Amino acid sequence: MLIKKPSDILSSEITPRDLYLRRREFLQQATALGLAGTLFPASGALAQPAVPVTEPGKLAKLPGKPSPLSATDKKTPYKDVVTYNNYYEFGTDKAEPAQYAHKLRTRPWSVTIDGEVRNKKPIDIEDLLKLAPMEERVYRMRCVEGWSMVIPWVGYPMAELIKRVEPTAKAKFIGFTTATQPDTMVGLRLPVLEWPYVEGLRMDEAMHPLTILGFGLYGEVLPNQNGAPVRLVAPWKYGFKSIKSIVRITFMESMPKTSWNVAAAHEYGFYSNVNPAVDHPRWSQATERRIGEDGFFQPKRKTLLFNGYADQVAGLYTGMDLKKLF
Ligand SMILES: Nc1nc2c(c(=O)[nH]1)N[C@H]1C(S)=C(S)[C@@H](COP(=O)(O)O)O[C@H]1N2
Ligand SMILES: [Mo]
């Protein structure tokens, strides 16, 4: 195929050209050395696949009660959800996370709870899984690059965790941190972003009923490339807010640092709400292409304010100038 997908064009625009070329070179060398194909022994079989997961039925079942907060849009095929990913710790090409993330060790796993909070004890992933009843939430997800998917997540409201750990009165924001496993995350060798990947929400955003901790998709535990064993899902924000493979949740008095804002503050703000009226400095955000559904030559579909969740979330931002606080 000689036709370039928009994502390929974008990844070369997002990273400076020299970095992009160095990355190509690095990947060619890594492949030549056989680094790319090294298998790590699997322990805890189902939670940690020994081979890339590209089809359903390979991972442990994780059912969730269907939620009334689910979207009725047609779901994106499983295959697309697990092979077209952004997870820069495993490379910046869309196909790389599915190729390399099976090496990620997802057990043992614990999440540090710290900062302005009473119950600072680390929570083991097995306890986190049992903390509240699982729900299935079908959400539209919109990447800042101009594509979208509809994913049946399995998880429970972030508010369930927040209530139990008892934030202090000073806690106004929450910072999230992704794991760093230099031996499994080939992408960490490239200075594309500052590692670890960090993200954040304002406390009222984190408490909003639409904000969930995701542990699965399509009725099974998360494939590693989608952020196993636990990730954030905030469907009215650009995809990069939904941080993967979380190891730390920090309650803060002031606004946390976020990776994309640190990398390019003029392009990525803290809020990052999906907004067709606020363009990215290098491209329009007015339209999007639904992966697995919209043909390449089909006209793009209109992007909706707050990704179509305005009725639920607009109240969080009353009085804010969303053009300035993007
Ligand atoms: N740790 C980490 N989390 C991340 C990213 C990343 O590179 N690293 N990419 C983000 C971006 S840009 C998007 S669009 C979504 C993609 O999630 P998906 O691959 O499950 O669709 O993950 C987000 N979370
Ligand atoms: Mo994204």
Side-chain angles (χ1 to χ4, degrees), residues 262-273:
V262 169
H266 57 294
E267 301 192 347
Y268 310 101
F270 175 80
Y271 289 95
S272 309
N273 292 315

Side-chain angles (χ1 to χ4, degrees), residues 149-160:
M149 293 196 193
V150 181
I151 304 180
W153 300 108
V154 181
Y156 55 72
M158 178 71 206
E160 296 284 349

Side-chain angles (χ1 to χ4, degrees), residues 116-307:
E116 288 297 337
V117 63
R118 277 181 202 94
N119 302 328
K120 286 189 214 247
K121 271 208 319 210
I123 306 179
D124 188 84
I125 188 64
E126 312 302 345
D127 297 325
L128 200 59
L129 277 158
K130 285 181 282 189
L131 192 108
M134 289 291 171
E135 296 175 31
E136 183 179 74
R137 297 277 184 96
V138 184
Y139 282 161
R140 287 180 296 275
M141 304 298 293
R142 169 61 156 82
C143 178
V144 77
E145 295 165 352
W147 50 269
S148 62
M149 293 196 193
V150 181
I151 304 180
W153 300 108
V154 181
Y156 55 72
M158 178 71 206
E160 296 284 349
L161 172 66
I162 298 174
K163 279 187 285 185
R164 284 169 178 80
V165 296
E166 297 180 41
T168 71
K170 281 189 185 163
K172 297 286 183 291
F173 294 90
I174 304 185
F176 299 87
T177 308
T178 293
T180 44
Q181 287 180 14
D183 59 328
T184 67
M185 293 173 156
V186 284
L188 296 186
R189 299 174 209 173
L190 296 168
V192 191
L193 292 171
E194 237 177 54
W195 312 112
Y197 193 102
V198 288
E199 255 306 334
L201 293 174
R202 212 170 56 190
M203 187 62 90
D204 58 344
E205 297 177 320
M207 287 293 292
H208 192 279
L210 282 175
T211 306
I212 60 169
L213 278 178
F215 298 88
L217 58 82
Y218 269 104
E220 298 180 2
V221 298
L222 287 173
N224 290 353
Q225 60 267 37
N226 295 92
V230 56
R231 69 175 291 168
L232 188 71
V233 185
W236 71 96
K237 293 178 176 284
Y238 290 118
F240 64 83
K241 296 297 280 184
S242 291
I243 182 173
K244 295 177 169 179
S245 308
I246 296 168
V247 292
R248 184 174 176 193
I249 298 177
T250 308
F251 292 78
M252 301 176 174
E253 197 169 359
S254 50
M255 196 177 269
K257 276 204 313 184
T258 63
S259 287
W260 280 102
N261 180 256
V262 169
H266 57 294
E267 301 192 347
Y268 310 101
F270 175 80
Y271 289 95
S272 309
N273 292 315
V274 175
N275 192 337
V278 179
D279 286 342
H280 186 282
R282 289 181 284 133
W283 60 83
S284 162
Q285 293 291 26
T287 61
E288 67 199 57
R289 193 168 68 92
R290 189 72 46 95
I291 299 296
E293 202 178 330
D294 298 347
F296 190 73
F297 297 103
Q298 211 163 312
K300 289 186 163 194
R301 64 179 70 204
K302 281 200 159 75
T303 289
L304 303 172
L305 179 61
F306 297 115
N307 202 23

